[in-house]
Amino acid sequence: MSRLLSFSKTLCILTLSLVCSLTYAEDLEATYELALQTDAILQQAWDNELAVLELRPQARADLLPLIGLTWNSTYSNTNNPLLERYNTWLYGATLTAPIINLQTWFQYRQTDDEIKSAVATYQDTRQDLMVRVATQYFAILSALEDLLFARSERIAFARQLEETKQKFTAGVIAITDVNVAQARYDNAIAQEIAAINALHDQQEIMGEITGVPAKNVNILKYNITLHKPHPDDIDYWVKTTITTNYDLQSKRYDIAAAKKNISIQRAGHYPTLTANGASNVSRSVPPDPEISNTNTIGLTLNLPLFNSGKVISQTRQAAAEYDTAKQKEIQAERTAISNVRQAYRGVLTQISQVKALQQSVISNKSALDATSAAFQVGTRTIVDVLNSQSDLDQAQTDLEKAKYNYILESLKLKRYAGIIQDSDIQIVNTWLQPPPKDMYPPKDSN
């Protein structure tokens, strides 16, 4: 009977925890901190924000005076035998100051919305990075769960195969049972090989975010407390999303900028008034060594009369782009509301799933014990025992994955609402612990 006890995944983990020292592993918070420095998507959003910030001084410059210096030297040759050649120098300063130019003023005001949009986009990308890192982190742990399942299957089937061979040698069972046990064991080896490769693939995928493939990440503690969303009100989360979601904020600033662009294009019809000033000095040597000064000041009024309909067309185009921006905001709001509703229900669903799977583990353990006892007295076959073992292993794997999904849905709920913070990653990180030694396969294993 003792030789038929379950060598389940949990037993393997607990045993390794007791007899093996813990090894260094990558925790979630450290992985996220690395991603903040190396993620290409976040860096693009940051660079875009820096680029958009430069729009402000550029637009301001169009409202300020322009000062220029000029210098000219001319060499002349004449037919006068006494004055065959002479040089003329001309140098001075010019000042141009816009007095009325509504187009440049509207452009300056538009930069406020463009900058706010870029800042909101960066914040949205940063929040998305938290979820992307966590999602891939737990994808690695899910792949590890599949590996532990395959490994547990192999260990259990190896024991069952040995037991079956002994019973066959003793003449208790037929060779058919041995063949069945051997087939199950061989299949478990193949599944373990595939699971190892899948785990390595998930570790490599993390490198797309951090620039470095993940190694042995920390595992989830056995007992974690599951909480419903707070407050437990889906309408609250929807309203919060509409107000604080950074992607929606960015889209609204895009609408404001597009609306100002209509005024910018329409201002092509408006007159402009510019003040002009100049001070020039000229000197010719020879024949006249004297210096002459000329100072001028004036106003330039430009009144557009006809430009072949270009301004009208540009205004219509700006109006169409404004409508496009509004439709994008509508679609983004619908998507955000749908996402936050799904995440809210996802949290509740995973809590129920965890509770159900916890009971399923207990039930499958009892079923395995009963089947093993029945096999000892000959009322159940080895196939029944192996099936019960697989059911227990699968229930334990599903339980751990449900916990992962609960964590991810909780993070997504806050992310879609626009209120996820670094502290949320830090809290999840406290639920993790270093894995037992040799839990992870070596990189070159296959």
Side-chain angles (χ1 to χ4, degrees), residues 12 25 38 51 167 180 197 227 315 348 354 389 405:
C12 293
T38 59
K167 288 180 176 292
V180 170
N197 183 70
H227 298 284
T315 303
L348 300 180
V354 168
Q389 178 67 64
N405 290 334

Side-chain angles (χ1 to χ4, degrees), residues 125-137:
T125 306
R126 197 176 194 275
Q127 290 190 343
D128 187 63
L129 178 62
M130 299 182 199
V131 175
R132 287 195 291 120
V133 169
T135 299
Q136 190 53 41
Y137 193 95

Side-chain angles (χ1 to χ4, degrees), residues 9-30:
K9 176 177 59 183
T10 300
L11 182 60
C12 293
I13 296 175
L14 293 176
T15 303
L16 287 170
S17 299
L18 292 173
V19 303
C20 299
S21 61
L22 298 178
T23 58
Y24 169 77
E26 301 172 0
D27 63 32
L28 178 61
E29 185 177 0

Side-chain angles (χ1 to χ4, degrees), residues 76 78 80 82-83 85-88 283-290:
S76 301
T78 69
N80 191 327
L82 298 178
L83 300 173
R85 59 182 65 87
Y86 63 91
N87 291 329
T88 301
R283 180 182 181 185
S284 298
V285 177
D288 184 6
E290 295 184 358

Side-chain angles (χ1 to χ4, degrees), residues 265-269 304-315:
Q265 302 306 324
R266 186 181 292 122
H269 286 303
L305 295 178
F306 179 70
N307 62 359
S308 302
K310 182 177 181 180
V311 173
I312 296 176
S313 174
Q314 290 174 331
T315 303

Side-chain angles (χ1 to χ4, degrees), residues 46-62 107-108 110-112 114-116 118-119:
W46 173 247
D47 291 337
N48 178 69
E49 180 178 337
L50 293 179
V52 173
L53 285 172
E54 295 301 324
L55 296 177
R56 174 69 61 78
Q58 294 174 21
R60 185 190 300 117
D62 291 334
Q107 288 173 339
Y108 177 72
Q110 185 190 43
T111 60
D112 288 338
E114 292 175 324
I115 290 172
K116 290 177 182 178
V119 172

Side-chain angles (χ1 to χ4, degrees), residues 56 59 63 103-114 257 260 264:
R56 174 69 61 78
L63 299 173
Q103 191 169 50
T104 56
W105 170 248
F106 292 148
Q107 288 173 339
Y108 177 72
R109 293 183 56 196
Q110 185 190 43
T111 60
D112 288 338
D113 298 312
E114 292 175 324
K260 288 184 175 66
I264 292 172

